[in-house]
Amino acid sequence: MSLTLALDNALSGLGVTQQALAVLSQNIANANNPNYSRQIVNQTALSIGSQFGSGVAISSVTRAVNDFVSHSIVTSNSGVAQANTINQYYNQTQIYFGQPGSDNSIDTYVNNFFNAMNTLQTSPTTSSLRLAAVNAGQTLAQQLSSLAGNVEQTRFSADQQISQSVTDANSDLQQIYSLNAAILNSKSTGQSINSLMDSMQTALNDLSNQMDIKYNTQADGTVQVSTTNGISLTGSNAVQLEYSPVSSVQALENNTNLNPIKVYTISPAGEKIYSSINLADGGTSSQVTTNLTGGNIAGLIQVRDQLMPNIVSQLDNLASSIATQVNSVTNNSTSVPPQQSMTGTTLVNPNNAQNWSGSVMISALNTDGTPVASTYASDVANNLGVPPLVLNLGTLNSGLGAGKPSYQSIIDSINQYYGVPQSRAEMNGLTNVQLVSNSDSITPGSGTFNFALDLSNMTSGDTKVQVTSAAINGGASITTSIPTAIYTAKAGTDTNTTGSIDLSADMSSAGPGPYTITLQVQTTAADGTITNGTMSYTVAAASNIRNNDYAITSAGANVTKEDPSSNQPILTAKLVDANGVEIAKDINGNYTGPGYLQISGANGTTTVAISELNSDAKGDLSSSIPNTTNYGFSQYFGLNNFFVDNGQVSGSALNMAVRSDIIANPQNLQSGQLTQSVQTINGGPKLYTYEVGSGSTGGLSGLSSLASNINNFAAAGSMPSVNLTFTAYAGQILGYASEATANSAATLSQAQLIQQGFTQQDTASRGVNIDE
């Protein structure tokens, strides 16, 4: 080797060493920089022709990077970020719930409510205990509402955070776009791209915290990024995400449609130049689907649309079940003293029909809870009050068939019974025999007029009834086969003979009316006494008369016609608007629009009380899918609720509240129930009237017994359908929240452990070791 060649070799070696020292010093300077990859100087031997040993040169300076580990870190980042987001929100929610059995937990509030009702039962007239019972109900409602509100607020926070995460993701996407442009420029000018690639890795790691991504490094050094399911996030133009959060927590509470998260391609001028792709669809929470499977955004969507709604649905289950069961008792109960007026909360269209079965009892009482005095002299002489209306909804017919009356016909039936008193026919224990129309009209040439009898049997024994003769004047004729079948009028009831004693008149040759219908009726009392009597009714030509009752106009042998001493109604039923103003009526007296049922005493001293009996609402016939509630009459209309009826399970917890007038006046708490009067006539049987005693506790007994009832709770969230008491189900909700929080912590810990493993490998491969 020549001296010249040796000197050249030495010089090249010194030059390479100098550059290597520069790289080394840079590595040392960035020893604590987590976003820096250790750089390695790669050397190659120089040769001139076939002459080997011409010195040394630096072939490249590369980054010490393990691509598999780098990709794995990006993937694990998304998992950790999603798990951490969920865990943070669960931890926040757990604070609201408290521990089972603690003073501020919902199971305690449930217990306190029913215990307060039980305590009041021991001394129902004690004002302080009554106030405590109402306050316990109000506290339960407020705490459930507050808890649901806090969870909804958590959802709102998650929705707002989605917007912030989208902003952060857009910053990362813009940086990736800019770095790709810089890489292309550096490549074209022969400059190193190592520092740009380090910055790219940092941007990818940051982006993976917001959403799950995958990436590939192209031959030109640029990086192509997409979601894990293939939606591209890079290209020749910048890509940006777009999301508009809801404006208020009320929007989420009202199940307002959520906006989608969209991906747009942006021109250099900042304009959207291609149609968007949805990363997450819009719609209500239950309708939202997403292409994201990891990262903060996916976790926040899960919190907003699944995890928190699961908790709210469980609270709704509890609130709805408590309100329904409590209202079922209170609608079969009454305050002591009873209320002068009851107004429903269910909006009904008067022309619509409901499918009903069973009967309901509606009583008119004095302010002391005793039956309103009768307006008939014979009743007064015998110390008889007005018996309650027992309305048989299962047989009431407004043209669609028995048990399917319109709301208008229900109102009419109440008003006919408790309206202006009419003359009544008394015969062998039957205190009032009336003719009732089963047709819509009775007019000349109208065809057939069908009618039956309404009977009031206020004796202690059943009475058999049969029509043995029937006639109609004015050119019409009776077409029914006489005598009719025998009908048994049960003791102590008001009843309708439709289906047993059905009578028809041919009106095809009838004159203009009015028409007199004369019936001879035979009754057989419980002791076997047979009585025959004649009674006549006057019916004017008219339409829209189905279910109309007609009082006796003249009486024959063995029948007494008794006139009332007053022409004032006792109770009135009507439809009112939300402000209590009666709905307008047409010329026939029918309501022209929807409203709320109101039943009121006709004067300031008459009150109303209801017993549900076996009444059962089986679905509004106007709906293609009847809303079968299986509520009794009063509960269906919402006439005497304790808790405000939400009308559906969803939103029950958030909107749970005690009826405002009960809060204002705890005396309106429905503590009593109608019981049969204990008065007697001259030492005889009980009167067939009902009353509410000052110490009545039937309502309280029903309420306190609910605490031990086993209720079926539908599946909600991830909780299956279960049969539990209210308190036990409240404990289940607390346990669910606690378990979900613990599981989210375990999931986070597992994700962090995986991430830590890859991070350690990454540090070992690309980190700077000062000792080395």
Side-chain angles (χ1 to χ4, degrees), residues 84-134:
N84 185 55
T85 295
I86 291 172
N87 181 245
Q88 286 180 348
Y89 277 93
Y90 265 136
N91 283 331
Q92 180 180 341
T93 304
Q94 187 65 33
I95 296 173
Y96 304 141
F97 279 85
Q99 297 298 317
S102 64
D103 291 342
N104 66 336
S105 65
I106 53 175
D107 58 338
T108 298
Y109 296 125
V110 172
N111 263 336
N112 290 345
F113 171 63
F114 290 112
N115 287 340
M117 293 298 175
N118 189 52
T119 301
L120 178 59
Q121 189 179 353
T122 63
S123 183
T125 58
T126 303
S127 298
S128 60
L129 294 181
R130 185 174 292 266
L131 176 61
V134 172

Side-chain angles (χ1 to χ4, degrees), residues 619-692:
D620 192 320
L621 299 180
S622 65
S623 173
S624 58
I625 304 177
N627 179 24
T628 302
T629 63
N630 292 321
Y631 288 175
F633 176 89
S634 183
Q635 187 174 10
Y636 176 78
F637 286 103
L639 289 168
N640 204 13
N641 292 335
F642 178 83
F643 289 112
V644 176
D645 187 5
N646 184 55
Q648 57 183 357
V649 175
S650 177
S652 292
L654 186 67
N655 298 303
M656 194 175 191
V658 176
R659 212 175 73 199
S660 60
D661 68 291
I662 295 176
I663 295 174
N665 181 12
Q667 203 65 36
N668 288 338
L669 171 63
Q670 304 92 329
S671 57
Q673 283 184 329
L674 283 166
T675 55
Q676 197 171 33
S677 301
V678 295
Q679 299 167 300
T680 58
I681 305 175
N682 301 324
K686 292 180 179 179
L687 300 183
Y688 291 100
T689 54
Y690 287 74
E691 60 187 36
V692 179

Side-chain angles (χ1 to χ4, degrees), residues 500-515:
S500 296
I501 298 180
D502 293 331
L503 299 136
S504 298
D506 181 2
M507 305 300 297
S508 58
S509 301
Y515 312 102

Side-chain angles (χ1 to χ4, degrees), residues 6 10 29 99 157 204 235 310 331 406 484 493 497 531-532 540 598 607 622 669 682 709:
Q99 297 298 317
S157 297
L204 292 171
N310 282 352
N331 276 283
S406 68
T484 64
T493 63
T497 69
T531 304
N532 290 289
Q598 184 181 85
T607 66
S622 65
L669 171 63
N682 301 324
N709 284 0

Side-chain angles (χ1 to χ4, degrees), residues 66-365:
N66 185 321
D67 287 336
F68 170 77
V69 172
S70 297
H71 282 78
S72 297
I73 286 176
V74 166
T75 300
S76 64
N77 282 349
S78 298
V80 169
Q82 181 181 19
N84 185 55
T85 295
I86 291 172
N87 181 245
Q88 286 180 348
Y89 277 93
Y90 265 136
N91 283 331
Q92 180 180 341
T93 304
Q94 187 65 33
I95 296 173
Y96 304 141
F97 279 85
Q99 297 298 317
S102 64
D103 291 342
N104 66 336
S105 65
I106 53 175
D107 58 338
T108 298
Y109 296 125
V110 172
N111 263 336
N112 290 345
F113 171 63
F114 290 112
N115 287 340
M117 293 298 175
N118 189 52
T119 301
L120 178 59
Q121 189 179 353
T122 63
S123 183
T125 58
T126 303
S127 298
S128 60
L129 294 181
R130 185 174 292 266
L131 176 61
V134 172
N135 285 344
Q138 188 178 11
T139 299
L140 171 60
Q142 287 174 339
Q143 291 300 322
L144 277 171
S145 178
S146 175
L147 190 53
N150 286 335
V151 177
E152 292 288 1
Q153 183 63 51
T154 301
R155 293 182 64 208
F156 179 68
S157 297
D159 187 63
Q160 299 299 301
Q161 189 58 46
I162 290 173
S163 180
Q164 181 58 54
S165 290
V166 165
T167 299
D168 293 342
N170 281 337
S171 178
D172 293 327
L173 288 170
Q174 182 60 48
Q175 186 177 10
I176 290 170
Y177 174 74
S178 298
L179 287 170
N180 273 337
I183 288 169
L184 286 175
N185 183 63
S186 295
K187 279 273 191 176
S188 66
T189 59
Q191 299 180 42
S192 172
I193 63 171
N194 287 347
S195 62
L196 295 175
M197 293 304 296
D198 281 344
S199 296
M200 177 67 77
Q201 192 64 53
T202 299
L204 292 171
N205 288 340
D206 287 345
L207 180 60
S208 66
N209 286 323
Q210 307 305 330
M211 56 196 298
D212 56 296
I213 60 171
K214 60 183 179 180
Y215 68 94
N216 291 298
T217 303
Q218 306 299 301
D220 59 5
T222 60
V223 174
Q224 300 300 307
V225 185
S226 67
T227 63
T228 54
N229 65 355
I231 297 176
S232 178
L233 300 173
T234 55
S236 57
N237 288 288
V239 171
Q240 293 281 274
L241 310 183
E242 181 183 80
Y243 178 66
S244 296
V246 296
S247 59
S248 66
V249 67
Q250 287 75 25
L252 287 176
E253 293 170 356
N254 296 330
N255 206 25
T256 301
N257 283 345
L258 300 163
N259 292 311
I261 301 176
K262 298 181 177 181
V263 179
Y264 285 102
T265 300
I266 305 297
S267 72
E271 299 173 343
K272 301 170 186 176
I273 57 177
Y274 297 118
S275 59
S276 63
I277 299 175
N278 284 355
L279 280 182
D281 294 329
T284 61
S285 288
S286 61
Q287 296 171 329
V288 171
T289 58
T290 177
N291 290 304
L292 299 175
T293 59
N296 282 332
I297 298 175
L300 292 166
I301 291 174
Q302 194 173 352
V303 167
R304 184 195 65 184
D305 299 333
Q306 298 175 25
L307 304 182
M308 295 302 108
N310 282 352
I311 295 175
V312 172
S313 68
Q314 293 158 14
L315 294 173
D316 284 343
N317 251 7
L318 177 63
S320 175
S321 185
I322 290 176
T324 298
Q325 295 300 319
V326 167
N327 289 344
S328 177
V329 172
T330 60
N331 276 283
N332 197 38
S333 307
T334 181
S335 59
V336 182
Q339 296 180 75
Q340 198 272 331
S341 181
M342 291 182 177
T343 302
T345 59
T346 302
L347 186 68
V348 296
N349 187 316
N351 298 319
N352 290 350
Q354 175 75 221
N355 191 2
W356 294 92
S357 67
S359 301
V360 61
M361 177 189 289
I362 302 173
S363 294
L365 306 174

